[in-house]
């Protein structure tokens, strides 16, 4: 029965990973034979999880004890927290260091003799130590005196033994220790500092030991739980947070949950619901088994309340014993709130409730929360769980609607959809379904929004047709369904205001599907009815429809006026989307006018609006604005990244038509960088997806031109020739007319180019820039077309384009305009051509616009650098230093340095490294 060096405590099986894997990490093999462990102790990070600091602290205390500065260390923490695992690690390391380890454990059973853990510790093979040191049987000696004598004899014996060998005394479960044992420990703690003894105790509670170093063990954090689960086998990363939340980071509970996951083969799969295993339920139930029945009932109600219980709302005076038992924990800074020590404890208490008790508890809690004016979401989650009859189901639906509106106010539209879905499960009404459609639209769940609207449009009419606004572009997949909603709503009796709004929505969708002639009279009727009704919402809708069927470049002043009116009507009309569209229209107008200062100010207002609304569509427009602004500034890489981010957001919001805007944006960038959108080999496939759509055909024609595919471009021009006579007047018209003329000129179709030129002339002085993409000053394209036609107006257009880009302040499009003008002047005025090309080259190299830089360098010719500068540039490009160049050309180093600075300035380069990458000077 001895407790020899490094042996396990008497009367118990050595702790192995199989016995307690939730505390000590599993291993392939663990030594279980009693006796000293002779191998060097492993580092704590190899065998323990999350307890490195404690093991290191015990190592330091043991090392100090070995040198005569003993100490008492007390590991504290709840059951299963891993105290024994840390002790075992410390014992293993002490034994490996040649230290004698003696162990004892307190017993919770009644009848255990005084000094029981010490008796077990002293029952050893160490000379001078024996349980007889604590014998109290001398006849006639007072009990107190006998106890004092025994304690002194034990202290003396331990001190003598420690002079021969350092000692580590392990006393576990001291929360069960008898007063005599604690008195001996307190006496040793007062004297141990001058000895070679380290006392290592464990307790679930604190002890009155002022001299002790207390090491409280807290729960594992999520990374520690993840590390433990990883030891069990391949573990999906989502389980760590779930297991940590459920087990509260308690290693013992984590072990049981981990065993369950391994047993069910779920550990490697994504996390899901996790039922409480029976073994863990029994383990948890022990913590509450000794509590009075009234306390256990109150715990069940508290478990229904949630992880935290607000005692100001729910008076449960019977919970005091649960706090004393550590089942519930209070916060001295918030004494009115109690929380369960572990989520597992709460779940076990909740699972013990009968169905009737559970429903009654939730009903009681919901009533109490409602009476206390608690947050609607708090009330709703209990109303739902108490909904069993028509009255309670109606209450649940009302609470869920209130919760959804709270979520909407917080811009959490996804949460609003979830609560409204709960409401519909309890009471399905058209009003709730319409409200869910609105929340789903704002959250980007467009399929759900359309489905809800279709379900109620015949019952409620106009409101269902007006939920989803501003979508359906390019005849996208939503457009037919939205058109049908309008048609079904218009089949019902409507007042002027409602009819105006539905007609406006109808006109907008028809115009988006490229049928402007049909949309125009419908839009006009909508405006007439809106003005007659005076209804703000109807006026907003009519304004939106009007904007859709006008040419915004020719009517830019009217666009700004419509934007102003729409913004003014947004609040009285209850149409926050009206402000959104007004800001987008302004942004397009400022781009058309080349007013970047106005654009920047409006973009800031759009950012504020997007934050206020929290709508994906508002965020999408903001990203588009940022992408365009970065393009105009010459930040081509950042611009493309932002445009892709906008596209991805639109696709997540199920607006697939918005994905077609990315190629248009890439095409605009391609003018500057020479990069094609990556669609060169897929043009036929794209044409199939948007057959005959004017803007799509135009985009394909431009991409083909950018890729140098004349045959493909000519095919698209042939289609455009048939499209142009019936082209509707709308926001896409300028892009189609100008681009068609430029591509026609490129493929040599002079007749069609001349036709497009005449139609595009009214756009002179404007910029073909909008929120979808930028193409720069219209005059640049007019100059290109006119040059092909031999029209003398070409030079004026190109000169005006350079002036316009200078005025706008867009470096990349200024470089493009300079290059285009230089190309035109190459034979007629070579000196001016080279000067323009040189300026374009400097800008292009600075911004990384490779396509412009390549042609500009050719046009700039020999006049850009002097003969000596070209010679020096070639040597520097080959990697020679200034000193080496000076030696090669018989120049001073200072002269070479001056030439290099001039070369860098002329070429728009920032340093010698850039010149070394300029291959044209390496010969």
């Amino acid at each position: 029965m001895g407790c020899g060096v490094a042996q396990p405590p008497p009367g118990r099986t050595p702790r192995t990973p199989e016995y307690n894997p939730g505390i000590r990490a599993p291993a392939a093999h663990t030594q279980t034979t009693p006796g000293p462990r002779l191998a060097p102790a492993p580092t704590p990070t190899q065998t323990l999880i999350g307890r490195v600091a404690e093991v290191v602290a015990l190592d330091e205390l043991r090392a100090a004890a070995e040198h005569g500065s003993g100490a008492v260390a007390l590991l504290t923490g709840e059951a299963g927290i891993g105290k024994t695992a840390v002790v075992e690690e410390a014992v293993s390391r002490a034994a490996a260091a040649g230290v004698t380890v003696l162990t004892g454990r307190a017993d919770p059973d009644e009848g255990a003799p005084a000094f029981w853990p010490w008796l077990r510790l002293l029952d050893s093979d160490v000379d001078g130590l024996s349980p007889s040191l604590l014998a109290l049987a001398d006849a006639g000696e007072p009990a107190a005196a006998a106890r004092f004598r025994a304690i002194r004899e034990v202290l003396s014996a331990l001190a003598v033994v420690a002079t021969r060998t350092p000692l580590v005394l392990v006393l576990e479960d001291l929360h069960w220790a008898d007063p005599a044992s604690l008195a001996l420990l307190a006496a040793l703690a007062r004297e141990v500092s001058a000895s070679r003894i380290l006392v290592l105790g464990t307790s679930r509670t604190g002890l009155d030991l002022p001299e002790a170093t207390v090491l409280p063990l807290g729960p594992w954090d999520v990374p520690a739980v993840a590390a433990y689960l990883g030891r069990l086998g391949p573990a999906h990363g989502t389980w760590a947070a779930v297991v940590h939340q459920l087990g509260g980071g308690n290693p013992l509970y984590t072990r049981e949950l981990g065993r369950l996951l391994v047993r069910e083969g779920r550990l490697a799969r994504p996390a899901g619901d996790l039922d409480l295993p029976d073994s863990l339920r029994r383990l948890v139930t022990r913590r509450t088994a000794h509590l009075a029945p009234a306390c256990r009932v109150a715990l069940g109600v508290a478990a229904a309340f949630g992880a935290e219980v607000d005692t100001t709302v729910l008076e449960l005076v019977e919970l005091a014993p649960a706090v004393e038992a550590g089942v519930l924990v209070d916060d001295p800074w918030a004494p009115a709130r109690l929380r369960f020590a572990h989520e597992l404890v709460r779940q076990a208490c909740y699972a013990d409730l009968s169905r009737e008790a559970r429903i009654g508890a939730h009903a009681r809690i919901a009533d109490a929360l409602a009476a206390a004016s608690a947050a609607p979401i708090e009330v709703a989650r209990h109303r739902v769980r108490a909904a069993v009859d028509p009255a309670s189901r109606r209450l649940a639906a009302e609470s869920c609607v209130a919760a959804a509106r709270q979520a909407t106010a917080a811009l959490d539209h996804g949460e609003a959809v979830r609560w409204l879905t709960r409401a519909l499960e309890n009471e399905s009404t058209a009003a709730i379904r319409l409200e869910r459609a609105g929340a789903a639209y704002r959250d980007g769940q467009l399929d759900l929004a359309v489905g809800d609207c279709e379900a109620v449009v015949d019952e409620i009419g106009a409101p269902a047709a007006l939920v989803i606004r501003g979508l359906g572009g390019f005849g996208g997949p939503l457009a037919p369904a939205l058109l049908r909603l309008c048609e079904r709503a218009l089949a019902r009796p409507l007042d002027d205001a409602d009819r105006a709004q539905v007609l406006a929505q109808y006109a907008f969708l028809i115009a988006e599907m490229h049928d402007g002639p049909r949309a125009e009279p419908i839009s006009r009727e909508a405006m007439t009815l809106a003005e007659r009704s005076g209804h703000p919402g109807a006026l907003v809708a009519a304004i939106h429809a009007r904007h859709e069927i006008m040419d915004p470049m020719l009517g830019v002043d009217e666009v700004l006026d419509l934007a102003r009116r729409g913004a003014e009507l947004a609040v009285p009309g209850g149409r926050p989307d009206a402000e959104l569209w007004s800001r987008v229209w302004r942004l397009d107008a400022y781009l058309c006018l080349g007013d970047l200062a106005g654009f920047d100010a409006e973009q800031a207002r759009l950012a504020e609006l997007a934050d206020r609304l929290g709508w994906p569509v508002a965020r999408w427009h903001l990203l588009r604005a940022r992408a365009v602004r970065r393009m105009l500034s010459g930040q081509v890489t950042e611009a493309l990244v932002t445009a892709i981010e906008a596209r991805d957001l639109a696709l997540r919001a199920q607006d697939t038509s918005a994905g077609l805007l990315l190629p248009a944006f890439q095409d605009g960038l391609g003018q500057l960088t020479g990069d094609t959108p990556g669609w060169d080999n897929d043009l036929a496939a794209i044409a199939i997806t948007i057959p005959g759509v004017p803007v799509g055909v135009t985009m394909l024609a431009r991409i083909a031109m950018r890729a140098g595919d004349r045959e493909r471009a000519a095919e698209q021009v042939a289609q455009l020739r048939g499209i142009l006579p019936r082209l509707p007047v709308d926001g896409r018209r300028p892009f189609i007319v100008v681009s068609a003329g430029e591509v026609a000129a490129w493929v040599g179709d002079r007749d069609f180019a001349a036709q497009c030129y005449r139609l595009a002339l009214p756009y002179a002085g404007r910029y073909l820039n909008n929120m979808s993409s930028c193409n720069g000053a219209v005059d640049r394209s007019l100059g290109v077309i006119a040059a092909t036609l031999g029209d003398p107006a070409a030079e004026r257009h190109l000169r005006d384009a350079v002036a316009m880009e200078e005025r706008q302040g867009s470096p990349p499009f200024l470089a493009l305009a300079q290059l285009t003008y230089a190309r035109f002047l190459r034979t007629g005025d070579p000196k001016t051509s080279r000067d323009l090309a040189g300026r374009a080259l400097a800008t292009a190299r600075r911004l990384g616009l490779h396509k412009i830089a390549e042609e500009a360098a050719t046009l700039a010719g020999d006049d850009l650098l002097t003969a000596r500068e070209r010679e020096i540039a070639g040597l520097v490009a080959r990697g020679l230093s200034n000193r080496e160049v000076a030696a090669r050309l018989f120049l001073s180093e200072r002269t070479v340095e001056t030439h290099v600075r001039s070369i860098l300035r002329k070429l728009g380069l920032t340093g010698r490294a850039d010149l070394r990458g300029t291959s044209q000077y390496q010969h």
Side-chain angles (χ1 to χ4, degrees), residues 865-878:
L865 300 182
T866 66
R868 176 63 81 182
E869 285 172 342
R870 288 199 305 277
E871 188 177 21
I872 292 174
L875 294 173
V876 171
R878 287 158 54 189

Side-chain angles (χ1 to χ4, degrees), residues 124-277:
S124 70
D125 298 329
V126 177
D127 290 342
L129 299 182
S130 168
S132 62
L133 291 170
L134 289 171
L136 304 178
D138 288 354
E141 185 177 25
R147 181 167 295 174
F148 178 79
R149 174 187 55 76
I151 288 174
R152 297 311 309 170
E153 287 183 1
V154 169
L155 296 182
S156 178
L158 289 171
V160 171
V161 171
T163 62
R164 303 195 303 267
T165 177
L167 296 176
V168 171
L169 310 180
V170 178
L171 297 165
E172 291 208 68
D173 296 332
L174 288 172
H175 47 278
W176 288 323
D178 59 282
S181 294
L182 294 176
L184 197 164
L185 176 59
L188 179 57
R190 289 191 292 271
E191 301 180 14
V192 74
S193 61
S195 69
R196 295 205 295 167
I197 299 174
L198 172 63
V199 182
L200 178 53
T202 68
S203 177
R204 295 180 187 174
T205 60
L207 302 178
D208 186 15
L209 290 172
E211 300 84 3
T213 297
V214 179
L215 300 175
L217 296 185
W220 279 345
D221 57 14
V222 174
V225 171
Y228 172 74
L229 294 177
R231 301 286 181 89
L232 299 180
H236 196 277
T238 55
W239 274 119
V242 173
V243 171
H244 181 269
Q245 190 271 337
L246 196 56
N250 183 293
L252 183 59
Y253 297 167
T254 301
R255 175 202 71 183
E256 294 297 330
L257 293 170
R259 276 182 167 179
L260 176 66
L261 293 174
V262 171
R263 189 163 59 249
E264 295 182 350
R266 299 173 60 194
L267 187 60
R269 301 200 301 269
D273 293 335
L274 192 59
D275 294 329
L276 205 62

Side-chain angles (χ1 to χ4, degrees), residues 364-417:
R364 174 184 172 187
I365 294 167
D367 289 341
L369 288 169
S373 299
I377 287 177
E378 292 298 312
V379 178
R381 67 189 186 91
H382 295 289
R383 290 283 187 221
V384 168
R385 288 172 172 83
V388 291
D389 55 35
S392 58
R393 288 169 69 87
R394 190 174 303 109
L395 272 177
E398 292 172 358
S399 296
C400 289
V401 170
R405 290 171 182 170
Q406 179 189 357
T408 297
L411 304 182
D412 191 347
H413 304 297
E415 185 72 5
V417 170

Side-chain angles (χ1 to χ4, degrees), residues 426-460:
N426 285 280
E427 186 178 32
S428 182
T429 67
I432 296 176
R433 192 170 291 277
L434 182 67
E435 191 162 347
R436 185 176 71 169
Y441 162 61
R442 290 187 290 271
D443 194 50
Q445 300 183 50
L446 301 184
D447 288 346
L448 178 61
V450 170
D452 279 344
C453 291
E454 289 176 334
V456 299
V457 64
D458 295 329
E459 181 179 352
I460 63 177

Side-chain angles (χ1 to χ4, degrees), residues 385-659:
R385 288 172 172 83
V388 291
D389 55 35
S392 58
R393 288 169 69 87
R394 190 174 303 109
L395 272 177
E398 292 172 358
S399 296
C400 289
V401 170
R405 290 171 182 170
Q406 179 189 357
T408 297
L411 304 182
D412 191 347
H413 304 297
E415 185 72 5
V417 170
R418 285 189 287 275
W419 279 115
L420 289 165
T421 301
R422 289 287 189 189
L424 287 169
E425 290 168 355
N426 285 280
E427 186 178 32
S428 182
T429 67
I432 296 176
R433 192 170 291 277
L434 182 67
E435 191 162 347
R436 185 176 71 169
Y441 162 61
R442 290 187 290 271
D443 194 50
Q445 300 183 50
L446 301 184
D447 288 346
L448 178 61
V450 170
D452 279 344
C453 291
E454 289 176 334
V456 299
V457 64
D458 295 329
E459 181 179 352
I460 63 177
L466 299 173
V467 168
I468 303 171
R469 299 188 180 101
L471 297 177
F474 295 104
L478 283 179
L482 298 180
L483 280 169
R484 286 194 298 270
L485 285 173
C486 291
E487 290 163 354
R488 289 166 67 180
L490 290 170
R492 294 174 48 84
L494 300 174
D495 61 22
D496 284 352
D498 281 349
R499 181 166 291 276
Q501 292 184 77
V502 177
L503 283 172
Q505 170 84 331
Y506 198 40
F508 168 82
L509 292 167
I510 292 172
E512 282 287 286
M513 297 184 76
H514 316 286
D515 194 349
R518 181 182 170 208
E520 198 279 332
I522 299 173
S523 169
R524 190 168 55 250
E525 182 184 356
M527 182 64 77
T528 300
L529 290 172
E531 290 175 341
R532 187 165 72 197
S533 72
H535 189 280
L539 287 167
V540 165
I543 287 170
H544 197 180
R546 168 61 186 161
H547 177 273
E548 194 63 19
I549 60 168
M550 64 178 295
D551 185 329
M553 286 183 69
L554 294 180
V556 66
D557 292 335
E558 185 181 357
V559 169
L560 290 171
D561 183 61
L562 290 174
R564 176 190 58 78
R565 293 179 63 193
E568 291 173 351
L569 290 166
V571 173
R575 292 283 302 269
D577 61 318
E579 183 181 355
L580 172 60
W581 286 104
S582 293
R583 303 235 172 270
V584 172
W585 296 346
R586 281 198 184 100
L587 287 167
D588 274 338
Y590 289 136
L591 289 173
C592 172
L593 294 170
D595 183 357
L596 293 187
F599 181 89
D600 291 340
E602 196 62 38
Q603 183 184 171
R605 298 186 190 100
L606 177 61
E608 294 173 0
L609 179 63
D611 288 341
R612 189 166 77 244
L613 295 179
W615 298 355
V617 68
R619 175 69 180 167
W620 174 61
H621 284 302
L622 179 60
L623 289 172
R624 294 171 66 214
R626 289 174 176 168
V628 164
R629 190 63 178 90
R630 285 165 180 163
M631 183 196 290
L632 291 172
S633 299
Q635 300 170 288
V636 292
T637 301
E638 297 84 348
L640 182 56
V641 168
T642 308
I644 292 173
E645 185 182 354
R647 188 274 313 273
D648 292 345
L649 174 62
L651 294 180
R652 287 197 301 273
Q654 301 177 349
D655 185 7
T656 55
S657 64

Side-chain angles (χ1 to χ4, degrees), residues 525-825:
E525 182 184 356
M527 182 64 77
T528 300
L529 290 172
E531 290 175 341
R532 187 165 72 197
S533 72
H535 189 280
L539 287 167
V540 165
I543 287 170
H544 197 180
R546 168 61 186 161
H547 177 273
E548 194 63 19
I549 60 168
M550 64 178 295
D551 185 329
M553 286 183 69
L554 294 180
V556 66
D557 292 335
E558 185 181 357
V559 169
L560 290 171
D561 183 61
L562 290 174
R564 176 190 58 78
R565 293 179 63 193
E568 291 173 351
L569 290 166
V571 173
R575 292 283 302 269
D577 61 318
E579 183 181 355
L580 172 60
W581 286 104
S582 293
R583 303 235 172 270
V584 172
W585 296 346
R586 281 198 184 100
L587 287 167
D588 274 338
Y590 289 136
L591 289 173
C592 172
L593 294 170
D595 183 357
L596 293 187
F599 181 89
D600 291 340
E602 196 62 38
Q603 183 184 171
R605 298 186 190 100
L606 177 61
E608 294 173 0
L609 179 63
D611 288 341
R612 189 166 77 244
L613 295 179
W615 298 355
V617 68
R619 175 69 180 167
W620 174 61
H621 284 302
L622 179 60
L623 289 172
R624 294 171 66 214
R626 289 174 176 168
V628 164
R629 190 63 178 90
R630 285 165 180 163
M631 183 196 290
L632 291 172
S633 299
Q635 300 170 288
V636 292
T637 301
E638 297 84 348
L640 182 56
V641 168
T642 308
I644 292 173
E645 185 182 354
R647 188 274 313 273
D648 292 345
L649 174 62
L651 294 180
R652 287 197 301 273
Q654 301 177 349
D655 185 7
T656 55
S657 64
L660 296 174
L661 295 178
L662 181 61
F665 188 87
Q666 290 174 300
D667 178 61
L669 280 179
Q671 299 176 94
L672 309 173
T673 63
D675 301 326
T676 57
W679 286 20
D680 302 1
N681 300 322
D682 300 319
L683 293 179
I686 300 165
I688 292 173
T689 65
I690 47 175
V693 175
V695 71
V697 175
T698 306
M699 187 170 63
L700 294 176
R702 289 176 60 90
I703 293 173
M705 180 175 68
R706 201 78 54 225
D709 188 342
R710 290 184 182 274
E711 181 179 355
R712 182 80 64 173
E715 292 174 1
Q716 306 308 314
V717 166
Q719 287 194 59
L720 288 168
R721 181 186 286 276
I723 288 172
L724 201 61
R726 51 186 173 84
L727 191 66
V729 177
D730 60 18
R732 291 173 285 270
R733 182 182 176 86
F735 172 77
I736 295 169
V737 169
V738 173
S739 298
E742 196 167 358
V743 179
W746 183 70
V747 299
D749 189 340
R750 294 170 57 87
D751 289 343
F752 187 52
Q755 184 182 353
C756 293
Y757 177 75
R758 288 192 296 272
L759 292 174
L761 269 178
Y763 302 129
R766 299 287 191 234
Y767 297 82
L768 195 58
N769 297 339
N770 56 44
M771 293 272 281
S772 298
S773 187
C774 293
N775 295 281
V778 173
D779 285 78
R780 190 191 74 251
S781 297
L782 290 172
V784 170
I785 302 171
T788 300
L789 299 174
D791 191 322
E795 183 172 0
R796 172 174 52 81
H797 286 311
L798 294 174
R799 185 173 59 248
D800 289 348
V802 171
M804 287 175 63
E805 299 297 359
E806 287 176 339
R807 185 167 61 250
Q808 178 182 226
S810 172
F813 283 99
L814 173 59
L816 181 59
Q818 290 168 335
L819 174 62
T820 307
Y821 193 16
R823 188 188 305 131
F824 174 81
L825 294 174

